[in-house]
């Protein structure tokens, strides 16, 4: 067999999914379609049954709204391509992605001399891709850059194989053949922490609020139930965060900080995220079975509401912020269901106003950070640049509403029967006002975290106010 040694005469073929871009365009396209029309999911089995993977790829590629410039291109692969172009090599984009999308990517980058992609018939992957490249350039007549098990026939037929962020099968092939590994960074604990948004678990401490207000923190059985409820809610919330991140990948890439999320950046794959979601939901409902049935019902309502939020509600004017406030309140209701503590009207009224104020802060910060002109909307939201003033007014008013509900509760007859010195609780109302007003002032200054709950949990001033409030409650109870 005549193997060419002149490097200029040996084309360099580059895979697309997982290699040139650190994402899978089929999965990403599916989520783009589902985000705009969830019912498209029912067509997927029909497409596969009528035409196999090639039909599915074509339907997704044809229907999805692609934003080619924002795809997560691998810098190392782009540097390799540019270096080889300087050697006057022919650069080929060889991919199973349908030609219209592959050609759009090639045109955007301007680095490829030829595009080999899935056409109307057939699926240009694995052995089909290997046969196409061998037929055009000969056995060992090309070099190939790939990343997965599906690339093994192509890597084996190439003169030289290079693997990029390989899966287990491609990594074993590279080790056996002493092949170059251009990028090989295994999933880290940091990636997993970011995937489940571990810091967001702080929000689920709301499940212990009913227990604390009922002064049952000395009952270890109830404390244990609250702890189980905390982990059940946290695991379920992490599962929803993953699904939400998969839907929002395109929007996250346009955001200055969210673009670093594991799925938007391509650090983690969508199939890995979906498998993790199943595991997390199984664990969440498994834990819920240790608690009263009412808690499982609240958890199910929470999951339905968050799913509806991810699919549609987050793009509806005002409905989104009221849904967020309700989701925070559901955590409190879940804690009451887990410990079988009655939740009062006062607590629910306060939480709705307080968390509505914080939800409006989120939207205000998004508008403020983007600096949108009059008439322009946030991507994926229903708010425009001119809405900042009314959002701020509504948010501050909601904060005052929360303080008013708390003040009325402190003055109510039910307080006298629970606390020996109820007047010690009066500073709690101005304390809540201090937290809300400070958050809004910082939001106006552009100094607010995009999640005010996380800000409160990490801000020492808010923590100090919370600690003083806790001491006042204890003093009113025991003095």
């Amino acid at each position: 067999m005549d193997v060419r040694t002149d490097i200029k005469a040996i084309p360099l073929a580059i895979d697309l999914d997982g290699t040139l871009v650190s994402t899978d365009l089929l999965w990403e396209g599916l989520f783009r379609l589902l985000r705009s029309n969830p019912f498209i999911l029912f067509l997927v089995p029909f497409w596969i049954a009528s035409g196999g993977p090639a039909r599915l790829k074509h339907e997704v590629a044809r229907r999805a709204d692609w934003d080619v410039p924002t795809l997560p291109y691998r810098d190392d692969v782009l540097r390799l391509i540019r270096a080889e172009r300087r050697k006057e090599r022919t650069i080929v984009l060889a991919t199973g992605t349908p030609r219209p999308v592959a050609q759009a990517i090639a045109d955007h980058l301007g680095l490829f001399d030829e595009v080999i992609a899935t056409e109307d018939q057939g699926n240009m992957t694995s052995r089909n891709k290997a046969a196409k490249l061998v037929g055009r350039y000969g056995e060992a007549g090309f070099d190939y850059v790939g990343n997965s098990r599906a690339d093994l026939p192509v890597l084996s037929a190439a003169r030289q194989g290079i693997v990029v962020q390989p899966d287990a099968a491609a990594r074993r092939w590279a080790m056996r053949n002493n092949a170059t590994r251009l990028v090989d960074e295994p999933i880290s604990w940091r990636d997993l922490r970011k995937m489940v948004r571990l810091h967001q678990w702080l929000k689920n401490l709301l499940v212990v609020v009913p227990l604390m207000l009922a002064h049952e923190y000395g009952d270890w059985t109830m404390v244990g139930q609250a702890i189980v409820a905390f982990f059940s809610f946290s695991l379920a919330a992490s599962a929803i965060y993953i699904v939400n991140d998969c839907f929002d990948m395109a929007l996250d890439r346009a955001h200055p900080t969210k673009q670093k999320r594991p799925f938007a950046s391509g650090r983690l794959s969508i199939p890995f995220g979906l498998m993790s979601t199943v595991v997390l939901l199984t664990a969440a409902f498994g834990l819920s079975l240790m608690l009263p049935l009412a808690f499982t019902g609240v958890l199910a309502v929470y999951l339905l509401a968050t799913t509806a939020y991810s699919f549609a509600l987050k793009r509806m004017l005002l409905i989104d912020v009221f849904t967020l406030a309700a989701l925070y309140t559901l955590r409190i209701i879940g804690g009451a269901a887990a410990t079988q503590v009655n939740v009062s009207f006062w607590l629910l009224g306060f939480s709705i106003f307080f968390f509505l104020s914080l939800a409006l802060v989120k939207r205000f910060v998004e508008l403020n950070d983007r600096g949108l002109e009059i008439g322009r909307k946030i991507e994926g939201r229903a708010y425009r640049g001119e809405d900042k003033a009314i959002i701020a007014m509504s948010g501050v008013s909601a904060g005052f509403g929360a303080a008013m509900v708390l003040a009325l509760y402190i003055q109510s007859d039910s307080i006298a029967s629970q606390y020996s010195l109820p007047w010690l609780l009066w500073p709690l109302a101005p304390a809540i006002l201090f937290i809300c007003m400070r958050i809004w002032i910082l939001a106006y200054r552009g100094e607010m975290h995009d999640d005010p709950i996380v800000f409160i949990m990490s801000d020492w001033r808010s923590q100090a106010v919370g600690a003083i409030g806790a001491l006042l409650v204890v003093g009113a109870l025991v003095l």
Side-chain angles (χ1 to χ4, degrees):
M1 179 173 58
D2 179 25
V3 179
R4 287 172 286 179
T5 57
D6 181 7
I7 192 67
K8 292 183 181 180
I10 301 175
L12 175 64
I14 310 290
D15 179 43
L16 179 55
D17 291 345
T19 303
L20 179 62
V21 295
S22 56
T23 187
D24 187 304
L25 295 180
L26 175 59
W27 280 105
E28 183 159 337
L30 275 173
F31 272 93
R32 286 172 183 255
L33 288 179
L34 291 172
R35 186 174 179 274
S36 59
N37 182 9
F39 297 104
I40 207 81
L41 182 65
F42 298 105
L43 291 176
V44 172
F46 170 75
W47 291 337
I48 296 175
S50 61
R55 170 77 187 279
L56 176 62
K57 286 182 176 183
H58 280 291
E59 293 292 344
V60 171
R62 180 172 65 87
R63 297 165 182 261
D65 180 20
W66 298 100
D67 189 5
V68 169
T70 65
L71 291 174
Y73 298 98
R74 292 194 188 275
D75 291 334
D76 290 333
V77 176
L78 292 177
R79 281 194 289 269
L80 172 67
I81 293 172
R82 293 187 178 104
E84 297 305 306
R85 282 182 65 84
R86 287 194 290 270
K87 299 175 184 177
E88 300 181 11
R89 295 185 71 177
T90 298
I91 309 297
V92 181
L93 180 60
T95 175
T97 299
R99 177 169 290 279
V101 180
Q103 191 65 56
I105 291 172
D107 292 343
H108 166 68
L109 294 175
L111 298 174
F112 295 96
D113 301 294
E114 186 178 355
V115 175
I116 296 174
T118 295
E119 305 288 352
D120 293 336
Q121 301 295 326
N123 188 15
M124 195 57 63
T125 60
S126 194
R127 297 186 185 281
N128 290 339
K129 186 190 294 186
K132 183 73 172 181
L133 289 170
V134 169
R136 182 160 301 188
Y137 303 114
E139 187 78 25
F142 60 94
D143 293 343
Y144 183 73
V145 185
N147 75 297
S148 68
R149 177 185 295 273
D151 292 315
L152 295 186
V154 196
L155 289 166
S156 299
R159 182 193 72 111
Q160 178 185 15
I162 300 172
V163 295
V164 179
Q165 196 62 31
D167 62 14
R171 185 176 291 108
R172 288 194 296 269
W173 182 92
M175 294 176 65
R176 286 196 306 268
N177 293 274
N178 197 28
T180 302
R181 283 182 278 184
L182 189 60
V183 181
D184 191 2
E185 301 174 354
I187 296 173
S188 67
W189 283 109
R190 184 171 181 269
D191 294 324
L192 297 179
R193 288 198 305 271
K194 292 177 70 174
M195 178 184 74
V196 301
R197 298 198 205 176
L198 195 61
H199 65 284
Q200 299 281 12
W201 284 25
L202 292 171
K203 298 177 181 179
N204 299 308
L205 290 173
L206 291 170
V207 301
V208 308
V209 169
L211 178 69
M212 301 300 291
L213 294 181
H215 312 304
E216 297 290 352
Y217 27 77
D219 188 323
W220 291 107
T221 298
M222 297 177 72
V223 170
Q225 290 172 325
I227 292 173
V228 173
F230 167 79
F231 282 105
S232 181
F233 253 103
S234 297
L235 293 170
S238 290
I240 297 300
Y241 286 139
I242 293 172
V243 175
N244 188 66
D245 284 353
C246 290
F247 278 112
D248 284 351
M249 284 186 294
L251 295 176
D252 288 346
R253 289 176 189 142
H255 193 276
T257 57
K258 293 180 181 180
Q259 61 179 291
K260 298 177 182 178
R261 286 177 173 175
F263 298 102
S265 65
R267 281 290 300 158
L268 298 179
S269 69
I270 295 176
F272 178 81
L274 296 179
M275 289 187 293
S276 300
T277 298
V278 172
V279 172
L280 290 168
L281 287 178
T282 301
F285 278 98
L287 287 174
S288 77
L289 297 177
M290 302 169 61
L291 300 171
L293 185 61
F295 174 81
T296 303
V298 174
L299 185 64
V301 171
Y302 173 81
L303 288 171
L304 289 174
T306 51
T307 302
Y309 178 80
S310 296
F311 271 107
L313 299 183
K314 69 191 302 181
R315 294 185 290 278
M316 296 183 181
L317 184 69
L318 295 180
I319 299 296
D320 60 336
V321 290
F322 279 98
T323 302
L324 285 176
L327 290 174
Y328 287 123
T329 305
L330 270 175
R331 290 170 166 92
I332 295 175
I333 296 173
T339 55
Q340 296 182 303
V341 171
N342 291 327
V343 60
S344 70
F345 160 81
W346 297 107
L347 177 58
L348 295 180
F350 169 81
S351 65
I352 285 292
F353 278 109
F354 183 70
F355 293 119
L356 178 60
S357 180
L358 298 188
L360 288 164
V361 169
K362 286 175 65 73
R363 294 297 174 259
F364 180 88
V365 170
E366 287 179 338
L367 284 169
N368 206 38
D369 288 348
R370 301 297 178 88
L372 296 179
E373 299 175 357
I374 301 298
R376 289 194 59 191
K377 287 184 178 181
I378 306 177
E379 298 86 350
R381 302 283 189 242
Y383 299 93
R384 302 191 307 210
E386 61 266 34
D387 296 335
K388 283 172 54 177
I390 188 64
I391 288 175
M393 285 189 290
S394 301
V396 172
S397 299
F400 273 80
M404 180 60 71
V405 171
L406 180 58
L408 292 173
Y409 169 67
I410 294 171
Q411 190 63 28
S412 68
D413 295 336
S414 58
I415 281 292
S417 61
Q418 297 183 52
Y419 297 89
S420 56
L421 295 176
W423 59 268
L424 277 178
L425 299 177
W426 268 107
L428 294 179
I432 289 296
L433 277 180
F434 172 81
I435 290 175
C436 288
M437 293 179 67
R438 182 167 179 269
I439 284 174
W440 276 103
I441 289 173
L442 293 178
Y444 257 94
R445 293 177 178 177
E447 300 174 5
M448 173 54 55
H449 189 280
D450 58 4
D451 191 328
I453 294 288
V454 174
F455 171 81
I456 290 174
M457 295 293 186
S458 58
D459 176 55
W460 72 266
R461 293 177 181 83
S462 300
Q463 292 170 356
V465 172
I468 293 171
L471 290 175
L472 290 173
V473 171
V474 172
L477 183 67
V478 301
L479 291 180

